[in-house]
């Protein structure tokens, strides 16, 4: 059976919230300006290998149609 937050007593909800906040306060935080630059560099370095940017070679494309239909 799935656990639904709405079904819990208020005390249990508050305990869960406090526990979540304790986890979040321990996270190391960085400035968005620094993180975004690192993410941009990471993406640019790997863009040559990315099939969404580069495309998939026809011979390795599992979704390529196997045959064709000719109507005359």
């Amino acid at each position: 059976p799935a656990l639904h937050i709405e079904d819990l007593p208020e005390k249990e909800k508050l305990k869960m919230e406090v526990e979540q906040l304790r986890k979040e306060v321990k996270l190391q935080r960085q400035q968005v300006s620094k993180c975004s630059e690192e993410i941009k560099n990471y993406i640019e370095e790997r863009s040559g290998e990315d099939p969404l940017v580069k495309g998939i070679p026809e011979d390795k494309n599992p979704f390529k149609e196997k045959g064709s239909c000719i109507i005359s």
Side-chain angles (χ1 to χ4, degrees):
L3 175 69
H4 296 284
I5 301 288
E6 307 87 38
D7 299 336
L8 293 175
E10 191 64 27
K11 186 176 180 180
E12 289 300 314
K13 290 180 195 176
L14 291 172
K15 281 183 183 179
M16 290 176 68
E17 185 176 354
V18 168
E19 196 59 39
Q20 180 63 34
L21 291 171
R22 285 184 177 150
K23 290 177 186 177
E24 289 179 19
V25 79
K26 293 177 186 176
L27 291 175
Q28 181 183 359
R29 300 181 186 273
Q30 295 182 2
Q31 294 180 338
V32 172
S33 57
K34 183 176 187 249
C35 293
S36 60
E37 187 66 32
E38 290 175 2
I39 292 170
K40 182 182 137 212
N41 291 338
Y42 178 87
I43 292 169
E44 287 176 349
E45 288 170 5
R46 289 158 181 78
S47 66
E49 305 161 13
D50 190 338
L52 295 175
V53 174
K54 184 178 165 187
I56 300 172
E58 286 294 320
D59 59 332
K60 295 185 179 182
N61 186 351
F63 301 104
K64 180 182 172 186
E65 291 188 28
K66 305 286 187 240
S68 61
C69 177
I70 299 175
I71 300 175
S72 54

